[in-house]
Amino acid sequence: MTIAAGYVCTNGLVLCADTKMTSTVRSSGQKAWYRHDGDSSIALVGAGSAILIRLIRNRLFERISPDTNLRDAETLIEQTLRSVYEDHIDKDLEKNLDVAILVGMRHKRECKLFEHDRTAVADVDSFASIGSGGGIADYLSVALFERSTVLATSSFASYVLQQCKRFAPNCGGESHIVLIPRDGVTELSTQSRIDYSEKAVADAFATVRHALKTQSLEATMTEAIISSEHSA
């Protein structure tokens, strides 16, 4: 199932995914796509069956045009998922097929992130994660995520993917992060930006850990001094 996640930002959306494949003979592959058309953008990330993810991507990118508003896009996502479940997943008697997607949309400066439970689709208020690394991503996001800019959130997303690839089973490969600003061009984050973000966040947490250790040491020394003074 691997890992994919999406975040609602103050000025747009961020979607991200690793490239680990668990349901094909290939060990890695793309699971994050986007299309930018003037003042409209669509991005999709997925987990589960690689073939079904690409099938859903193809259908949505065909059906959703630059003129499609967000309400109609939500309906098209639901219709597409319904057909995929009816034609493929529900007919899989061995229950080997499963898929989960997140879709980010921008239309005329309005942005929405969509998630689903089977064929039911709804927009996301803050963040969502899917795949086997979803538990770790949710834990980190609940504890640390605060709504910020697209650029700042992309750094946080790179950290989340890094930790999922480090600790979650079936997560790995490269980190792909799609930035959808309300104003500007939708783009895939460069590897150099991802590398820099991972190091910056890791350094920040190292500083916090050092501060906590120092604080704990100072508290222990204070207790020892007070104890010795009482014993004297």
Side-chain angles (χ1 to χ4, degrees), residues 22 49 85 90 95 134 150-152 156 161 163 166 169 173 175 192 215-216 220 222:
T22 59
S49 167
Y85 271 86
D90 292 341
K95 303 300 181 184
V150 166
L151 190 58
F156 178 74
L161 291 179
Q163 296 306 301
R166 182 179 179 186
S175 294
S192 60
Q215 195 174 50
S216 176
T220 302
T222 300

Side-chain angles (χ1 to χ4, degrees), residues 42-221:
I42 178 173
L44 181 148
V45 294
S49 167
I51 293 175
L52 290 183
I53 295 171
R54 295 199 304 274
L55 173 62
I56 294 170
R57 175 208 61 187
N58 292 343
R59 290 187 179 178
L60 288 180
F61 279 33
E62 286 176 1
R63 297 174 179 179
I64 296 177
S65 73
D67 297 324
T68 305
N69 62 47
L70 298 183
R71 181 66 178 273
D72 290 342
E74 182 175 352
T75 300
L76 289 171
I77 295 169
E78 186 171 313
Q79 292 173 349
T80 300
L81 287 169
R82 187 180 299 120
S83 68
V84 168
Y85 271 86
E86 290 177 353
D87 296 341
H88 302 284
I89 296 177
D90 292 341
K91 291 182 178 179
D92 175 29
L93 300 180
E94 296 182 357
K95 303 300 181 184
N96 290 325
L97 289 177
D98 193 16
V99 69
I101 62 163
L102 297 171
V103 180
M105 289 279 304
R106 184 189 77 182
H107 181 70
K108 296 181 178 179
R109 301 191 74 251
E110 184 182 3
C111 297
K112 276 194 177 183
L113 176 65
F114 296 105
E115 63 178 344
H116 72 100
D117 185 350
R118 285 183 59 86
T119 63
V121 178
D123 58 293
V124 177
D125 292 329
S126 181
F127 66 87
S129 59
I130 53 179
S132 59
I136 292 176
D138 282 346
Y139 175 81
L140 293 173
S141 298
V142 168
L144 302 173
F145 176 64
E146 292 186 5
R147 189 171 297 187
S148 185
T149 65
V150 166
L151 190 58
T153 303
S154 69
S155 295
F156 178 74
S158 68
Y159 172 74
V160 169
L161 291 179
Q162 181 190 49
Q163 296 306 301
C164 288
K165 290 187 291 184
R166 182 179 179 186
F167 294 110
N170 298 323
C171 295
E174 298 178 359
S175 294
H176 288 176
I177 302 175
V178 181
L179 286 65
I180 309 178
R182 186 179 296 115
D183 298 297
V185 177
T186 297
E187 63 178 350
L188 192 68
S189 184
T190 63
Q191 189 59 49
S192 60
R193 184 189 296 170
I194 293 172
D195 293 341
Y196 176 82
S197 297
E198 289 178 350
K199 184 178 185 305
V201 175
D203 289 346
F205 279 107
T207 301
V208 172
R209 286 195 297 270
H210 177 72
L212 291 174
K213 288 181 180 179
T214 302
Q215 195 174 50
S216 176
L217 178 60
E218 290 176 348
T220 302
M221 292 177 64

Side-chain angles (χ1 to χ4, degrees), residues 224-232:
I225 293 172
I226 293 175
S227 176
S228 63
E229 289 177 347
H230 286 169
S231 299

